[in-house]
Amino acid sequence: MGLKKWFGAVTSTVLALSLMLAGCGGQAVTGGNEGNAPTNTESGTSAPKETVTLKAYFPGDKPVGFDNVLQAVNDKLKADNVGAALNINFLPWSDYGNTVSVKMSAGEDFDMYLDAPWLSMNQMIASNSLLELDAKVAERPELKASIPDEMWNYNKFDGKIMGIPLGTTQGPVYGVIIRKDLREKYGLPELKTLEDLEKFLYMVKENEKDIRPFVINGIKADKLPFILSESANLALDEVLEIGVSMFAYSTKDKKVIGQWASPMIADGYERVTKYYKDGLISKNIAQEQNAETLFKQGKFAATYYAADGVEGLKYSDMLKDGSDKLEVFVPNGDKAKPYTAFQQWNFLCIPASSKHSDLALDVVNWLSIKENHDLMEYGIQGKDWEPLGDKSYKVLSNYSFPGFVLTWRPKLNRTPDTMMPDDKKWFDFSADPANFTLSPTSGFSFNAEKVKTEYAKITPLHDSLFLPLSQGLLPAGEGKAKLEEKMAGLGGQKVIDEIQAQIDAVTSGK
């Protein structure tokens, strides 16, 4: 599920949203291309179609080598007589949300773009600015088949498909990447439990002068209580994440609660407090933004892991020497069956004003055929990549397309040959819907419109109190008490009541 590819993570999307809202709303394009719009030629026995250029807007920087790949895509669209060419424009993340909203409001003619509930999707739906896609998806078998039924069924808005759900994984699986060579140096067995992880971290602290135990970027530290809880990766009696930052849903009493108040991860908060106090967690955690680099430089023995196909690949360079000095520890990995709502964080949307919506969906369907998907996602075969069977590939260049904006299809995904075996194991696990337990809140997507004033007031508590509590800077008891007090004073209960009402509306028919 994740960033930029993911962002499987609520805090990352909150950060992206805050950056976008801070933007000036300018409309400068950092990269755009349609290649050379192909001229019509005969394709098989079909009469050549008139070529229509479709315009798309996506966030981020234009990938290295994208011009050549897009030209190849447009050439193949021509050869396949689809009748379309793509003009893809990349906008800066800092301006993306505002810029697209302005373009939509101004009635600019474009045909597809990335949106999400953490961006402006709910508002766009409410203003009838997005095209309903149920019938169009049903008419396009390749698109329908390339995405699991669970993703289609549980990523609807008021029962309708309002965007193509883009993701590679079906639920969250969290863990830790550790230095296997250090574990073996001290004669420790393979990590199976949190107790094993704790022994490893204390062993490093006590015996290594130049290597510290654990590092994580501060913005991702809200995941620490999940990782460090005995309930990690298990579906017990409580859903810990519902896609609303700082809040959770208890299946035990069917109530919305603050994550900090969840009895299921109370032990996780206590461990975070202890580990920070004892120096196992980087003292610079609140400001830390370079965890990946520090771990790759050998300055830490463990770091954050998520089975999203992104986190693990960050460290593949460390294995270029042919060693296997890294391994992944997933708490309760041998019995993992996490709850999931099959919720995805990114959607390819078609503006209701598009004059070429059917053709846009034809192209999306065309991109759901493996050879076409692979061309856009991985680049030109023989130049950017080489296939290794049907499920893997060898990387040949620096081309890296942000599949989360257009091409992510769980049933077509390939993994690079640089992916470490442990990472591939858990990524494959997280891509299979059968490995998860269906959350009773599946189908819920929070719309804060009715409580937008109160929601805006409590949102800053995420950075000022919730993150410090999750990082260990605020001791568990003190941090929880402060959150309760501040939430109450800023109208947090009204937000909780609205989340509760929306969840009850979803669960009442189950």
Side-chain angles (χ1 to χ4, degrees), residues 122 163 177 179 219 236 241 282 293 304 314 333 386 424 462 491-492:
N122 288 317
I177 292 180
R179 286 278 300 277
I219 194 66
L236 298 177
E241 292 184 290
S282 168
T293 299
Y304 165 79
K314 293 176 180 178
E386 290 179 354
K424 183 173 184 348
H462 178 275

Side-chain angles (χ1 to χ4, degrees), residues 37-206:
T39 57
N40 293 318
T41 60
E42 293 289 334
S43 177
T45 59
S46 300
K49 296 178 181 178
E50 178 184 357
T51 296
V52 175
T53 298
L54 304 175
K55 183 185 287 186
Y57 286 111
F58 299 133
D61 298 326
K62 184 169 68 174
V64 173
F66 183 68
D67 292 0
N68 291 332
V69 173
L70 185 59
Q71 183 62 62
V73 167
N74 281 338
D75 288 345
K76 195 166 190 308
L77 282 166
K78 169 188 172 181
D80 291 348
N81 200 25
V82 177
L86 285 172
N87 174 11
I88 294 178
N89 301 270
F90 291 92
L91 303 171
W93 270 108
S94 58
D95 290 339
Y96 180 75
N98 285 339
T99 301
V100 170
S101 293
V102 169
K103 290 178 180 296
M104 293 281 274
S105 298
E108 180 180 326
D109 184 18
F110 63 101
D111 304 288
M112 62 182 80
Y113 78 108
L114 177 79
D115 208 337
W118 50 270
L119 259 170
S120 57
M121 194 167 176
N122 288 317
Q123 295 92 317
M124 293 298 180
I125 293 171
S127 63
N128 297 314
S129 299
L130 299 184
L131 194 67
E132 180 187 332
L133 302 178
D134 293 78
K136 295 182 184 298
V137 168
E139 294 168 354
R140 291 165 172 83
E142 287 82 9
L143 171 60
K144 184 73 165 61
S146 67
I147 294 174
D149 289 342
E150 291 85 352
M151 282 176 62
W152 290 118
N153 294 337
Y154 299 113
N155 285 279
K156 296 182 179 181
F157 296 78
D158 292 326
K160 300 173 184 177
I161 298 173
M162 301 305 296
I164 308 300
L166 299 169
T168 56
T169 58
Q170 302 306 309
V173 177
Y174 301 124
V176 177
I177 292 180
I178 74 160
R179 286 278 300 277
K180 177 183 178 182
D181 56 336
L182 289 177
R183 174 180 66 76
E184 292 177 336
K185 175 181 177 180
Y186 295 109
L188 296 174
E190 181 181 355
L191 307 188
K192 296 290 187 181
T193 67
L194 289 174
E195 183 180 358
D196 295 337
L197 174 65
E198 188 170 297
K199 287 180 181 178
F200 171 74
L201 295 176
Y202 276 107
M203 187 72 73
V204 170
K205 179 179 183 291
E206 293 164 4

Side-chain angles (χ1 to χ4, degrees), residues 190-260:
E190 181 181 355
L191 307 188
K192 296 290 187 181
T193 67
L194 289 174
E195 183 180 358
D196 295 337
L197 174 65
E198 188 170 297
K199 287 180 181 178
F200 171 74
L201 295 176
Y202 276 107
M203 187 72 73
V204 170
K205 179 179 183 291
E206 293 164 4
N207 294 280
E208 295 290 336
K209 289 198 291 188
D210 299 320
I211 303 176
R212 288 168 284 173
F214 181 83
V215 66
I216 185 174
N217 284 338
I219 194 66
K220 293 182 179 179
D222 60 348
K223 296 295 182 288
L224 282 179
F226 299 129
I227 297 171
L228 298 177
S229 170
E230 294 291 350
S231 66
N233 301 308
L234 297 177
L236 298 177
D237 66 346
E238 198 165 279
V239 179
L240 298 180
E241 292 184 290
I242 54 174
V244 186
S245 180
M246 301 187 288
F247 295 102
Y249 179 79
S250 170
T251 61
K252 189 173 183 180
D253 54 16
K254 297 181 171 52
K255 296 294 183 183
V256 175
I257 59 174
Q259 285 182 8
W260 64 89

Side-chain angles (χ1 to χ4, degrees), residues 203-406:
M203 187 72 73
V204 170
K205 179 179 183 291
E206 293 164 4
N207 294 280
E208 295 290 336
K209 289 198 291 188
D210 299 320
I211 303 176
R212 288 168 284 173
F214 181 83
V215 66
I216 185 174
N217 284 338
I219 194 66
K220 293 182 179 179
D222 60 348
K223 296 295 182 288
L224 282 179
F226 299 129
I227 297 171
L228 298 177
S229 170
E230 294 291 350
S231 66
N233 301 308
L234 297 177
L236 298 177
D237 66 346
E238 198 165 279
V239 179
L240 298 180
E241 292 184 290
I242 54 174
V244 186
S245 180
M246 301 187 288
F247 295 102
Y249 179 79
S250 170
T251 61
K252 189 173 183 180
D253 54 16
K254 297 181 171 52
K255 296 294 183 183
V256 175
I257 59 174
Q259 285 182 8
W260 64 89
S262 166
M264 293 309 303
I265 56 171
D267 63 319
Y269 282 107
E270 293 296 336
R271 283 191 178 88
V272 171
T273 298
K274 181 176 187 292
Y275 291 178
Y276 181 79
K277 179 182 177 182
D278 290 355
L280 299 188
I281 295 173
S282 168
K283 291 295 183 183
N284 190 42
I285 187 171
Q287 292 79 36
E288 189 58 72
Q289 301 179 37
N290 300 305
E292 174 190 342
T293 299
L294 293 170
F295 185 72
K296 289 169 74 170
Q297 290 174 342
K299 295 180 179 179
F300 284 87
T303 191
Y304 165 79
Y305 173 76
D308 56 8
V310 179
E311 284 295 326
L313 284 175
K314 293 176 180 178
Y315 308 103
S316 57
D317 286 353
M318 297 176 71
L319 305 179
K320 281 186 175 179
D321 58 4
S323 70
D324 64 343
K325 61 187 173 188
L326 301 181
E327 64 185 5
V328 173
F329 164 62
V330 172
N332 299 309
D334 58 339
K335 49 188 175 182
K337 191 77 172 178
Y339 270 125
T340 184
F342 295 106
Q343 190 173 27
Q344 301 300 323
W345 297 109
N346 305 291
F347 293 81
L348 180 69
C349 295
I350 310 296
S353 58
S354 169
K355 296 181 175 66
H356 312 293
S357 60
D358 282 319
L359 188 56
L361 267 294
D362 287 344
V363 171
V364 175
N365 188 68
W366 182 85
L367 286 168
S368 303
I369 297 169
K370 194 169 183 65
E371 63 177 312
N372 304 327
H373 165 272
D374 288 353
L375 175 58
M376 180 66 89
E377 178 95 2
Y378 308 118
I380 298 170
Q381 188 172 329
K383 178 182 178 181
D384 298 308
W385 69 288
E386 290 179 354
L388 298 174
D390 291 332
K391 296 292 186 180
S392 188
Y393 70 100
K394 181 178 180 62
V395 179
L396 300 179
S397 77
N398 291 324
Y399 177 75
S400 179
F401 185 75
F404 68 95
V405 304
L406 179 64

